[in-house]
Amino acid sequence: MTRIRLWPGRQGTLTATFTAASTEADFRFDVHAEGHWRATRRGHHDPAASATCHVIDETKRLAAEHSVLAAAELQHRVNALLGGPRQLPETTVSLNWARVLVHVHPETQHVAHTRLRLRARAQTQWELKQMTMAQAETYRDQLREDPNLLLAQLLLHSPQAITQQTLDILPQIARAVAAYAPGARWVETALLLDKWFADLPTDAKRFIIDRLSTTLTEFGGEAIAQQLRDAHDTSVPTEHPTQGEDTDHSPAGLNGYEHHSG
């Protein structure tokens, strides 16, 4: 009778000491691991090395997800993962159990704490700067549209600061904002036109508003044209000509030329 001898298998212990990188690439954990493995059948020349590599790889994978200041958390997670039996992928080796001890040198912890504080402080300063810049941009854009916003804010927060000098400097502030703000040329253009427009006769103002409204309408700006008419409804009153008067709205004194509608 032929007897079939069953392979009793191989088993043994593993021990490894290594380092693992943390989320901060230049800070590493010091790790010591031990465990027990078993080769379920023939086919692997060095099952101990296979089991040890598995423990190292899994530890390093989890370490890369942890700050060097979270050594205790890393140790718990690795031991929870490797504490029970598992078959190693694509091998004839199984890991019965493994236990790791994670340590960080006190000097490394001190440097990491210092760097973390500096990084948090820099992040806070950057966020405050971004918030201040956003507020400044918003206030600048509002000031471009209406310089009286500055006066309103002063009245709200520091009414005692309102003096004649304050009122005199407001136009200068508006011009300075216009000079450096996005679209500055258009803002400056609007200020120049406003200065020129203010001294024109009433019929000249009405003529210019009508022409601007017509031009805006031709280029699809009907809504803006209507807003322009509404804005100047009181400043440019409509005058109905009496019988016998020329109904041409062209201002006679406008550069000495008569307006001919084409």
Side-chain angles (χ1 to χ4, degrees):
M1 179 181 297
T2 303
R3 293 183 178 180
I4 300 176
R5 297 181 59 186
L6 298 178
W7 188 60
R10 297 171 58 192
Q11 58 183 343
T13 60
L14 65 90
T15 302
T17 300
F18 56 95
T19 64
S22 64
T23 51
E24 303 89 358
D26 49 347
F27 293 133
R28 303 182 69 86
F29 297 101
D30 297 317
V31 184
H32 177 76
E34 58 184 25
H36 190 272
W37 56 267
R38 178 180 178 85
T40 55
R41 61 182 183 273
R42 292 184 178 91
H44 200 291
H45 178 70
D46 193 347
S50 180
T52 302
C53 285
H54 179 76
V55 171
I56 294 174
D57 291 344
E58 290 296 284
T59 302
K60 288 188 174 184
R61 179 179 64 83
L62 291 177
E65 302 174 1
H66 291 73
S67 166
V68 74
L69 301 176
E73 179 183 346
L74 172 62
Q75 180 172 299
H76 289 313
R77 288 192 62 187
V78 175
N79 285 330
L81 178 67
L82 302 178
R86 54 168 46 199
Q87 182 70 36
L88 305 189
E90 301 179 359
T91 70
T92 60
V93 181
S94 64
L95 179 68
N96 293 333
W97 59 266
R99 179 173 60 248
V100 301
L101 297 175
V102 180
H103 176 71
V104 177
H105 194 278
E107 183 178 352
T108 301
Q109 285 186 325
H110 175 72
V111 174
H113 271 296
T114 302
R115 183 176 298 184
L116 185 63
R117 286 196 300 269
L118 293 175
R119 186 177 300 171
R121 183 183 305 169
Q123 178 68 21
T124 300
Q125 292 175 346
W126 182 84
E127 291 175 354
L128 289 175
K129 182 178 179 180
Q130 292 298 112
M131 182 177 64
T132 302
M133 290 296 295
Q135 292 174 341
E137 290 175 0
T138 300
Y139 188 53
R140 178 207 61 194
D141 294 341
Q142 292 175 341
L143 190 58
R144 287 170 54 202
E145 298 176 5
D146 185 2
N148 289 326
L149 284 174
L150 177 60
L151 179 60
Q153 186 180 38
L154 288 173
L155 286 170
L156 181 63
H157 296 289
S158 303
Q160 70 279 2
I162 303 298
T163 63
Q164 185 59 46
Q165 184 180 9
T166 305
L167 298 177
D168 294 339
I169 204 174
L170 276 175
Q172 301 178 32
I173 295 176
R175 284 193 294 271
V177 171
Y180 294 98
R185 286 179 297 178
W186 284 106
V187 178
E188 185 66 21
T189 300
L191 292 174
L192 292 173
L193 290 175
D194 181 67
K195 181 179 179 180
W196 167 74
F197 189 82
D199 298 329
L200 291 177
T202 300
D203 58 346
K205 291 180 180 179
R206 182 170 60 250
F207 172 76
I208 292 171
I209 296 301
D210 289 343
R211 290 300 299 270
L212 284 175
S213 299
T214 301
T215 302
L216 288 169
T217 301
E218 290 176 352
F219 287 90
E222 293 85 354
I224 299 178
Q226 186 58 50
Q227 292 176 14
L228 184 64
R229 295 189 191 98
D230 293 342
H232 292 272
D233 182 55
T234 55
S235 60
V236 187
T238 302
E239 299 178 0
H240 298 285
T242 59
Q243 185 175 3
E245 288 185 343
D246 187 2
T247 57
D248 188 353
H249 289 172
S250 303
L254 198 59
N255 295 329
Y257 295 98
E258 292 185 356
H259 169 63
H260 298 280
S261 59

